[in-house]
């Protein structure tokens, strides 16, 4: 594990996607663009919107940030006519980053068109896809979402909702999805409810969105979470709710609270910011440190650091300042300045740190390479001691449910014991909040090993949904797997 070829984006986890849909508002296209802008943290590589104007479907799908695609380009927004729209933010893993994978995906089925935007990851997509290809299906993308479209198209059921449910009964994995037909907006959460999906209302128009922050940006009212295993069908006549799948225990992704969701979102009844502060409090109770100040690794470490400071009585200080204008493009400095790469995103606030014993708080440690650079940076700025505290248990396992994690061998906590990790990152002490502390912070009395309240598989290895294939779909540059199925 070296720091020389460090890539910051490779050392954080990435949520794959955010979804948004609105039914029956004359500004459906622009409102969807705003909703996607609020969900930008869930995917920064590409965004797309499909709208329907009563006669035809229109699509704008492009690589880049939502503001670049829709904010600066009125032509794209003007294309999206009609009162019905769905949209999608993408961070590519499964299926690569090719333009043809940008969602919402669209297909003409018997009975009309359907557009689908999907957050999550199917754990049996590879096997399903290979069978579909053998049966003659012609895939246009390498996205696992297209598997859902093919299965929907081939279903023998009549109404499109029945076809979609029939398709989803064949898939395994995590999905929160929105779908648009000429007459319906459909929202579905997988039976475990791994990924979030909420229902809102704006000027009489129902909205489906990954997080409540997408409702806030347009002034929409939060109505409720879509339940695990629920299918909602919104038409001109109102909304109907179904539970057509075999019930499963709720296993919402606990990492949404730790890192993925925006702190101002309310997810499954919990405010994300408050949840993060409570994790910091638990961390301070479990692993206090003799120190002069608490310093977050910004931005994601801030709420937990506030909680740690409040619980420990130590002052909270911005000892590291983050540059918010670093995009994904500036991650490959040349060899002669590579050792400075940490400064692209973070700069020490020297006057705060000099001579101080610092508790450094971060939300998680993935590969450990960023943590090592940040500890060194804080030491170089004159800190007398650096005590690293992590607001999640050690990330030891890969996620197969819609989060881009490296292979286990690249996860520092999978490869090293605590003391080895401490030495690697160069801290004076290192501690992670315990699993029990994390559950207490979520308001749970304890973690029931037989029936944990959340998916916590990347910490525990306890995967709630079978991982039939973990190929994760096709890779960048790989157009098909015909060689494998031949
Ligand atoms: Fe979330 Fe981790 Fe479960 Fe993936 S494995 S869904 S990141 S808790």
């Amino acid at each position: 594990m070296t720091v020389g070829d460090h890539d910051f984006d490779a050392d954080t986890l990435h949520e794959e996607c955010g979804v948004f849909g609105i039914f029956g508002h004359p500004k459906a296209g622009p409102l969807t663009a705003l909703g996607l802008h609020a969900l930008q943290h869930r995917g920064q590589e590409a965004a797309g919107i499909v709208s329907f104007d009563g006669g035809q479907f229109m699509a704008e799908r492009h690589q880049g940030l939502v503001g670049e695609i829709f904010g600066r380009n009125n032509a794209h927004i003007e294309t999206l006519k009609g009162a019905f729209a769905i949209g999608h933010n993408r961070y590519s893993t499964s299926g690569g980053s090719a333009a043809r994978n940008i969602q919402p995906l669209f297909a003409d089925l018997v009975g009309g068109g359907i557009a689908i935007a999907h957050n999550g990851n199917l754990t049996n997509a590879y096997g399903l896809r290979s069978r579909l290809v053998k049966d003659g299906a012609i895939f246009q993308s390498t996205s696992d979402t297209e598997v859902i479209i093919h299965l929907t198209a081939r279903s023998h059921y009549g109404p499109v909702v029945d076809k979609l449910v029939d398709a989803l009964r064949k898939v395994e994995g995590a999905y929160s999805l929105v779908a648009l037909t000429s007459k319906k907006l459909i929202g579905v959460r997988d039976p475990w409810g791994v990924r979030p999906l909420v229902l809102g209302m704006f000027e009489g128009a129902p909205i489906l969105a990954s997080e409540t922050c997408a409702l806030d940006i347009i002034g929409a009212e939060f109505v409720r979470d879509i339940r695990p295993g629920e299918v909602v069908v919104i038409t001109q006549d109102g909304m109907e709710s179904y539970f057509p799948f075999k019930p499963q225990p709720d296993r919402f992704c606990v990492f949404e609270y730790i890192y993925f969701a925006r702190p101002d979102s309310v997810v499954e009844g919990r405010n994300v910011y408050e949840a993060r502060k409570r994790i910091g409090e638990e961390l301070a109770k479990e692993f206090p440190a003799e120190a002069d100040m608490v310093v977050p690794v910004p931005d994601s470490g801030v709420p937990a650091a506030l909680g740690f400071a409040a619980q420990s009585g130590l002052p909270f200080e911005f000892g590291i300042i983050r540059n918010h204008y670093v995009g994904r493009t500036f991650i490959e400095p040349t060899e002669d300045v590579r050792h400075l790469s940490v400064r692209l995103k973070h700069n020490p606030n020297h006057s705060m740190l000099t001579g101080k014993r610092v508790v450094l708080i971060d939300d998680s440690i993935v590969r450990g390479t960023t943590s090592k650079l940040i500890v060194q940076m804080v030491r170089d700025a004159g800190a007398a001691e650096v005590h690293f505290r992590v607001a999640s248990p050690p990330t030891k396992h890969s996620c197969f449910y819609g989060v881009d994690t490296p292979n286990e061998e690249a996860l520092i906590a999978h490869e090293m014991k605590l003391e080895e990790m401490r030495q690697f990152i160069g801290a004076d002490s290192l501690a992670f909040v315990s699993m029990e502390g994390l559950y207490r912070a979520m308001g749970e009395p304890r973690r029931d090993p037989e029936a944990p309240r959340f998916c916590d598989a990347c910490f525990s290895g306890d995967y709630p949904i079978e991982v039939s294939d973990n190929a994760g779909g096709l890779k960048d540059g790989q157009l098909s797997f015909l060689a494998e199925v031949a």
Side-chain angles (χ1 to χ4, degrees), residues 361-384:
I361 309 277
D362 207 350
D363 60 89
S364 56
I365 296 183
V366 183
R367 296 171 192 263
T369 45
T370 299
S371 309
K372 181 183 180 83
L373 288 168
I374 285 176
V375 168
Q376 189 59 50
M377 184 183 76
V378 170
R379 284 201 193 284
D380 291 346

Side-chain angles (χ1 to χ4, degrees), residues 293-324:
M293 63 171 65
V294 179
V295 169
V297 177
D299 291 324
S300 53
V302 171
L306 283 165
F308 193 103
Q311 178 65 36
S312 62
L314 294 171
F316 169 97
E317 299 288 359
F318 280 106
I320 300 172
I321 304 300
R322 177 171 170 188
N323 181 345
H324 286 94

Side-chain angles (χ1 to χ4, degrees), residues 13 174 194-195 251-256 260 397-403 405 454-459 463-464:
L13 301 182
V194 176
R195 298 274 150 246
R251 289 294 190 92
F252 183 70
C253 167
V254 76
F255 229 127
E256 292 276 354
F260 301 131
H397 306 280
S398 300
C399 175
F400 302 104
Y401 307 141
V403 171
T405 33
F454 299 97
C455 176
D456 51 32
C458 46
F459 312 125
Y463 290 96

Side-chain angles (χ1 to χ4, degrees), residues 25-46:
H25 194 286
K27 299 274 181 216
L31 291 171
T32 302
L34 285 169
L36 294 181
H37 178 68
L39 297 171
Q40 188 74 83
H41 59 290
R42 299 184 75 87
Q44 294 101 47
E45 289 203 349

